Amino acid sequence: MGIVVQKYGGSSLSDADAIKRVARRIVDAKKAGNDVVVAVSAMGDSTDELLDLAAQVSPLPPARELDMLLTAGERISMALVAMAISDLGFTAQSFTGSQAGVITDDVHGKAKILDVTPGRIRSAIDEGHVVIVAGFQGVSQQTKEITTLGRGGTDTTAVALAAALDADVCEIYTDVDGVFTADPRIVPAARKLATVTYEEMLELAASGAKVLHLRSVEYARRHNIPIHVRSSFSTLEGTIVTGSINDPVSEGSMEAPIIAGVAHDRSEAKITVVGVPDKVGEAAAIFTALADAQINIDMIVQNVSAAATNLTDISFTLPTSDGQSAMATLDGLKDRIGFESLLYDESIGKISLIGAGMRSHPGISAKFFTALAEAGVNIGMISTSEIRISVIVDQDDVDRAVQATHTAFDLDADEVEAVVYGGSGR
Ligand code: ADP
Ligand code: ASP
Ligand code: MG
C-alpha cells in the first residue's frame, strides 16, 4: 500500500462546508487504497486574525506566547477535519506538531525543522487511521517549547512528513491550479507551469511567490521529494516541482524556457543607515548586530562616501515583521558606530524575474529594465543571483511592474487559465 501525504492550506479550509469538502477528498485517497497523512493549516485568515488580536493586547508580544497563540489555529482545523472524516465513516486521528514528532530548533516564530520522528503517526496508520497533523508547528528539542515555522510553514510540515514517511510525492492543495508564471491575482494571463526545477522554485518562493513556503522547497530538494502543487477546488493536474537546472537536457527534448516566472513581494521594508563613517569594520558591526538579533537581511546597497565628509549611507531590505526590532537594535549601536540617523520605509515592493535560461541568454536585464521604464516605474535598488534579477520599486507600482514584465517576456497566455478559486489573498 502506498503512502500519500497531502497538505491543505487555510484558503481550502475556510468554513465548515470547505472542511467537509476537503474531508471527502482525503477519503477518496484512502478509498483508492492508500495510507493517508494530511498536514492542515489554520482556517481561512484565522492566523492573521489571531495576530491582529495579539497586537491589540500588546504591541510587542513575547515570542513564546505568540507561538502558543498561533498554534491554536492549526489545532482547530486538525480536529474539525478529523471529525468530518469520521462523519464519512472513516477513522481519523489528529496530532499536534509536537505529538507528530516534528522536532525544531528553539527560534520562536521561524523555527527550523531538525528532524521528524513519526512513531505515533506510524502506529496510527497501522491501526487504520487517516492521520491529520497540525501544520506550521513543532517542539524544540532543547527548550521543549512549542514553536512555529514562519508564515506559510504548513507546506514545510507536509514535505518533512513526506520525507520522514518515505512518500513518493508531497501534494500541496491550495486555491490556484499550480505554480504560475506570476501571481494569478495580479496577472490573469499568467500560465501554469507543468514542471519547475527546485532552484527556480526556491528563487520564486524567496522572492515572494507565497504559493510555497521557502523552507518546504529547500527540504524537498535536500530529500529529493517531488512536490505536486494543485488546487483543492478542481481535479486538474498541477505543477510538479522537481529536477535541477543542472540536469543534462536529453536529446530531442524541448529546451527549457528562459524565464520561469515573475514574483513580487510587498512584505519587505527598507532601512537606511545615514552617515556611516567610511572605515574598516563598520558594515561588519551593523550586520553582526542584526544577525545576532536573528534578523534576515535581503538586499544591501552601500553608497560611495562623499569626499568632503568621509561619510556613507548603507541601505538594506528586510521583512517588515522584523522592522521594529531591527530599528531598536541599530538605535542601540548609534554611539558605538557613530552614524547620524536611521530612515525606515515600508512603502516598497520587490519585483523579481526568475529563470535558469538567463544564464545563457544575454540582454535579460536590459529587457527587464526597459519594460519597467516604459511602464513609468522607477527602480530603487537592484540585486541579482545566477538565475534571478530583483528590483525594489515603489509599492504603488508593484502590480503595473509585474504586468509589464510578464508581457515583455512573452509570458502572457492566449486564453485565460489562471483561476483563483478562494482565499482573500491576505
Ligand atoms: P494556502 O492557503 O493554500 O497556503 P497561499 O495563499 O499561501 O495558499 O498560497 C496560494 C496563493 O499564492 C495564490 O492564491 C496566489 O495568489 C499566490 N501566488 C503568488 N505567486 C504565485 C504563483 N507564481 N503561482 C501561483 N500562485 C501564486
Ligand atoms: N497558518 C499559518 C499561516 O497562515 C501557516 C500556514 O498557513 O501554512 O501562515
Ligand atoms: Mg500557504
Side-chain angles (χ1 to χ4, degrees):
M1 213 193 290
I3 187 154
V4 169
V5 175
Q6 304 184 330
K7 176 258 175 174
Y8 292 90
S11 51
S12 300
L13 298 165
S14 52
D15 56 22
D17 283 339
I19 287 174
K20 289 196 226 172
R21 198 173 48 77
V22 162
R24 284 196 292 275
R25 262 198 114 119
I26 295 171
V27 162
D28 285 344
K30 179 77 180 165
K31 279 187 196 155
N34 302 292
D35 290 328
V36 187
V37 175
V38 181
V40 290
S41 292
M43 293 173 66
D45 289 332
S46 61
T47 304
D48 288 296
E49 285 153 15
L50 290 172
L51 281 169
D52 290 349
L53 202 54
Q56 288 168 37
V57 172
S58 157
L60 213 60
R64 177 187 188 277
E65 302 310 326
L66 203 52
D67 276 357
M68 284 302 213
L69 178 71
L70 295 186
T71 50
E74 271 68 15
R75 285 184 77 140
I76 292 173
S77 40
M78 75 178 191
L80 291 171
V81 170
M83 289 174 198
I85 291 173
S86 73
D87 201 53
L88 295 172
F90 287 76
T91 162
Q93 276 190 346
S94 65
F95 297 93
T96 64
S98 164
Q99 289 178 317
V102 180
I103 312 289
T104 71
D105 63 16
D106 56 6
V107 184
H108 284 293
K110 45 185 159 187
K112 260 203 186 90
I113 296 182
L114 301 177
D115 194 13
V116 179
T117 50
R120 285 192 78 171
I121 297 184
R122 283 205 193 277
S123 315
I125 292 174
D126 291 344
E127 288 162 18
H129 301 293
V130 172
V131 173
I132 314 294
V133 178
F136 169 64
Q137 56 182 274
V139 60
S140 157
Q141 203 158 30
Q142 274 177 320
T143 60
K144 309 289 180 229
E145 297 287 5
I146 298 299
T147 54
T148 61
L149 310 178
R151 300 305 308 272
T154 304
D155 299 334
T156 304
T157 304
V159 171
L161 288 170
L165 296 167
D166 261 332
D168 293 335
V169 56
C170 179
E171 296 184 330
I172 304 278
Y173 286 92
T174 183
D175 59 0
V176 288
D177 282 312
V179 179
F180 284 78
T181 47
D183 186 343
R185 284 177 206 272
I186 294 191
V187 184
R191 273 189 240 183
K192 184 169 78 186
L193 302 169
T195 64
V196 61
T197 61
Y198 289 120
E199 290 95 335
E200 287 166 306
M201 193 63 231
L202 278 173
E203 291 282 10
L204 284 166
S207 306
K210 66 169 180 160
V211 62
L212 282 178
H213 190 226
L214 175 60
R215 288 248 173 85
S216 73
V217 189
E218 287 170 355
Y219 211 100
R221 177 164 72 154
R222 197 162 351 111
H223 295 268
N224 205 17
I225 304 276
I227 303 178
H228 186 177
V229 181
R230 58 192 308 187
S231 170
S232 73
F233 298 80
S234 81
T235 52
L236 295 174
E237 287 290 302
T239 302
I240 308 284
V241 184
T242 188
S244 164
I245 57 171
N246 298 317
D247 289 346
V249 183
S250 54
E251 220 164 307
S253 77
M254 278 208 329
E255 203 187 330
I258 300 170
I259 300 299
V262 187
H264 71 280
D265 192 349
R266 288 192 176 86
S267 70
E268 290 196 349
K270 181 172 80 174
I271 291 180
T272 303
V273 190
V274 181
V276 183
D278 190 4
K279 61 178 201 292
V280 172
E282 295 299 77
I286 290 173
F287 291 103
T288 302
L290 294 168
D292 289 346
Q294 298 286 342
I295 291 163
N296 285 322
I297 304 299
D298 185 15
M299 283 191 207
I300 303 175
V301 172
Q302 174 173 335
N303 290 337
V304 180
S305 64
T309 58
N310 213 28
L311 294 177
T312 182
D313 294 346
I314 298 179
S315 296
F316 59 90
T317 62
L318 77 175
T320 303
S321 52
D322 285 340
Q324 291 315 315
S325 87
M327 288 294 278
T329 302
L330 291 177
D331 213 35
L333 283 178
K334 190 160 190 259
D335 294 337
R336 216 176 81 209
I337 295 189
F339 61 82
E340 285 174 353
S341 58
L342 294 171
L343 298 175
Y344 185 68
D345 184 2
E346 280 190 7
S347 64
I348 61 161
K350 184 169 73 174
I351 315 294
S352 302
L353 185 67
I354 289 131
M358 63 175 71
R359 293 177 300 174
S360 51
H361 286 80
I364 304 288
S365 313
K367 195 168 176 178
F368 183 20
F369 301 157
T370 304
L372 294 175
E374 282 170 359
V377 174
N378 189 43
I379 299 173
M381 291 162 100
I382 300 173
S383 86
T384 60
S385 81
E386 192 189 15
I387 59 167
R388 173 185 54 79
I389 308 165
S390 301
V391 298
I392 297 294
V393 301
D394 197 288
Q395 202 165 90
D396 294 338
D397 290 341
V398 166
D399 288 12
R400 214 153 25 96
V402 173
Q403 287 151 359
T405 308
H406 198 265
T407 304
F409 284 90
D410 292 328
L411 297 172
D412 292 349
D414 301 330
E415 273 173 55
V416 172
E417 54 173 316
V419 185
V420 179
Y421 296 94
S424 63
R426 191 172 171 184

